[in-house]
Amino acid sequence: MKKNLLDFEYNELVEYFKNLGLEKYRADQVLDWVYKKRVFDFENMTNLSKEHRNLLKEKLFVGVPKLLDMQISKIDRTTKFLWELKDGNTIESVALFHSGRVTACISTQVGCPVKCSFCATGQSGFVRNLSAGEIVGQILGIEINRKVNVGNVVYMGMGEPLLNFDETLKSIRILNHKKMLNISKRRITISTVGIPEKIMELAEKNVGVRLALSLHAPTNFKRDQIIPLNRKYSIDELIYSIKKYQETTGDRVTIEYILIKEFNDYPEDAEKLAEILKGLNVFVNLIPVNPVNPDFYRPSHWAMERFKQILERHGIESEIRVEKGTDIDAACGQLRRRNLKSK
Ligand code: SAH
Ligand code: SF4
């Protein structure tokens, strides 16, 4: 079976080429075509001999996913992509445009096993993990379909990156490698629902990307109701892991907090949140819930401002997230598998 070239890290590819009888500089040439010139057909890699092109074609393919649908927001150019993978499964990505930079919001799983009650992906069930190449392929797909260079990457699409740990870390090494996408680790963010041992492993392994924690509620009583995994990893354990993470990395961590009307938007929730975050170096992103679940409503603007002010009073910086691509339902982290093809 042919292998996806995007699944290879640099050293793996050099080794693979060596076994095919190709020198290291041949691997460099191919990587230059794929990641810099964005040519994905070996046939068009004109500095390789016909013989080498044929050999590579026989063994490898460049797994940029097939575009099934692309919606572009008329308001802010936010673009949502629906991709088909080799096995017929579909995933989504989003491209966000702000002040000249493009941020790619990418998926790590087909569906998600965590099943948060407010999340469209969670409601669609879990099918499988993506490979590193399938994660990276979304970025190349965005670049060629929108003719842009992706500058920032957020692992906030479908799925829980820390439950697909090895492939997620591998994809980061590929994104970061000079001869590959060459995206700085400081421009890459992993968003996680919170798996304490994996958060600590990120720190121990010195992965170097930014971290965002989807907290969404200040007490176990409330968090249990919307994030089933909270029954396994309590808020105490999560906060402890963030503390350890910061001790090792010195990094500021983003706390994501979805505001749901008359559920977690009360002044006492803000007070409690400030209390559990005390002593940590955090920035809180307040996100008005996207009513995927009809039981959840967004708070009034006034209630959100009140929440923010309480955090501020406790010295915690926060921001009410400005929504992008509302006309095409593209908000990052709110992706669902629509247009499911009947198999
Ligand atoms: N599994 C990871 C990353 C994907 S979800 C995580 O949970 O962090 C990315 C972000 O979108 C998370 O913060 C998630 O909580 C948020 N999100 C999901 N559904 C949402 C909704 N209906 N409204 C607002 N944000 C939502
Ligand atoms: Fe999974 Fe994140 Fe959605 Fe929860 S919010 S179901 S962890 S993708």
Side-chain angles (χ1 to χ4, degrees):
M1 218 176 57
K2 286 193 193 186
K3 286 178 186 289
N4 183 358
L5 182 132
L6 304 181
D7 275 323
F8 285 82
E9 284 184 57
Y10 184 66
N11 292 338
E12 290 173 343
L13 194 70
V14 170
E15 185 63 27
Y16 187 79
F17 270 46
K18 204 171 114 195
N19 291 334
L20 291 178
L22 297 174
E23 287 174 77
K24 179 167 176 277
Y25 82 96
R26 294 289 180 201
D28 289 342
Q29 285 178 323
V30 169
L31 290 178
D32 191 60
W33 283 111
V34 172
Y35 288 105
K36 313 288 178 199
K37 301 198 182 85
R38 300 191 178 100
V39 169
F40 306 137
D41 187 346
F42 293 109
E43 202 53 59
N44 299 329
M45 301 187 181
T46 46
N47 54 3
L48 302 175
S49 70
K50 188 84 195 143
E51 189 194 335
H52 287 164
R53 280 184 250 170
N54 283 340
L55 174 65
L56 292 173
K57 237 173 23 191
E58 214 177 278
K59 301 279 181 193
L60 296 166
F61 67 96
V62 182
V64 177
K66 181 175 159 206
L67 183 69
L68 290 186
D69 190 22
M70 178 164 84
Q71 287 169 272
I72 303 179
S73 162
K74 293 191 180 63
I75 307 169
D76 53 26
R77 294 196 289 156
T78 299
T79 309
K80 186 159 76 168
F81 304 84
L82 177 71
W83 311 110
E84 187 182 74
L85 303 170
K86 273 265 176 257
D87 65 356
N89 275 306
T90 56
I91 51 166
E92 291 184 334
S93 321
V94 177
L96 301 138
F97 297 76
H98 42 78
S99 47
R101 291 202 83 88
V102 181
T103 298
C105 171
I106 55 173
S107 297
T108 53
Q109 299 182 313
V110 181
C112 179
V114 182
K115 299 193 167 44
C116 301
S117 61
F118 49 82
C119 172
T121 306
Q123 300 311 302
S124 71
F126 174 65
V127 181
R128 68 169 176 88
N129 282 330
L130 298 186
S131 73
E134 288 172 326
I135 299 173
V136 171
Q138 297 166 59
I139 300 190
L140 291 174
I142 290 173
E143 293 190 329
I144 55 164
N145 284 291
R146 287 297 262 128
K147 301 191 174 50
V148 292
N149 280 317
V150 167
N152 297 286
V153 178
V154 291
Y155 285 74
M156 283 190 194
M158 300 166 70
E160 170 47 48
L162 300 191
L163 290 180
N164 184 13
F165 198 66
D166 294 341
E167 295 301 305
T168 293
L169 294 200
K170 187 176 187 187
S171 71
I172 290 168
R173 293 192 293 272
I174 296 171
L175 294 191
N176 182 234
H177 197 283
K178 287 256 175 315
K179 292 189 172 158
M180 296 162 130
L181 278 162
N182 195 19
I183 298 173
S184 150
K185 289 183 176 180
R186 305 316 289 165
R187 296 191 175 278
I188 301 175
T189 302
I190 290 187
S191 172
T192 176
V193 71
I195 321 278
E197 64 261 24
K198 296 295 177 195
I199 290 175
M200 297 211 260
E201 212 177 319
L202 286 177
E204 284 152 20
K205 289 203 156 96
N206 196 15
V207 174
V209 298
R210 293 179 191 273
L211 183 68
L213 172 70
S214 295
L215 191 59
H216 306 326
T219 60
N220 288 317
F221 177 72
K222 287 194 180 176
R223 200 166 186 267
D224 279 352
Q225 293 173 48
I226 52 174
I227 303 177
L229 199 65
N230 196 63
R231 283 176 218 129
K232 185 160 176 198
Y233 306 112
S234 69
I235 291 182
D236 290 354
E237 286 174 75
L238 273 185
I239 296 296
Y240 178 78
S241 71
I242 295 294
K243 189 162 166 260
K244 289 282 149 204
Y245 181 90
Q246 284 194 325
E247 280 171 15
T248 311
T249 63
D251 272 4
R252 176 175 247 204
V253 171
T254 300
I255 302 293
E256 291 171 284
Y257 191 99
I258 294 183
L259 283 164
I260 304 169
K261 186 176 181 172
E262 288 163 19
F263 173 69
N264 64 359
D265 64 339
Y266 294 106
E268 54 266 36
D269 294 314
E271 295 285 350
K272 186 76 192 149
L273 182 62
E275 190 186 314
I276 63 175
L277 296 178
K278 206 170 151 197
L280 295 172
N281 177 13
V282 291
F283 181 88
V284 178
N285 242 331
L286 298 169
I287 311 161
V289 71
N290 186 12
V292 164
N293 179 329
D295 295 339
F296 295 151
Y297 300 92
R298 321 184 136 189
S300 65
H301 185 70
W302 173 80
M304 296 197 283
E305 274 301 326
R306 177 180 66 181
F307 200 97
K308 180 171 153 51
Q309 275 163 21
I310 294 170
L311 294 181
E312 241 153 60
R313 219 178 298 139
H314 288 275
I316 296 174
E317 246 187 280
S318 69
E319 185 178 77
I320 299 170
R321 192 188 282 174
V322 185
E323 292 171 281
K324 298 255 187 182
T326 41
D327 55 332
I328 57 163
D329 241 354
C332 201
Q334 297 160 32
L335 307 178
R336 71 166 89 229
R337 293 186 302 142
R338 265 192 237 109
N339 310 349
L340 277 186
K341 296 216 330 184
S342 45
K343 280 199 278 180

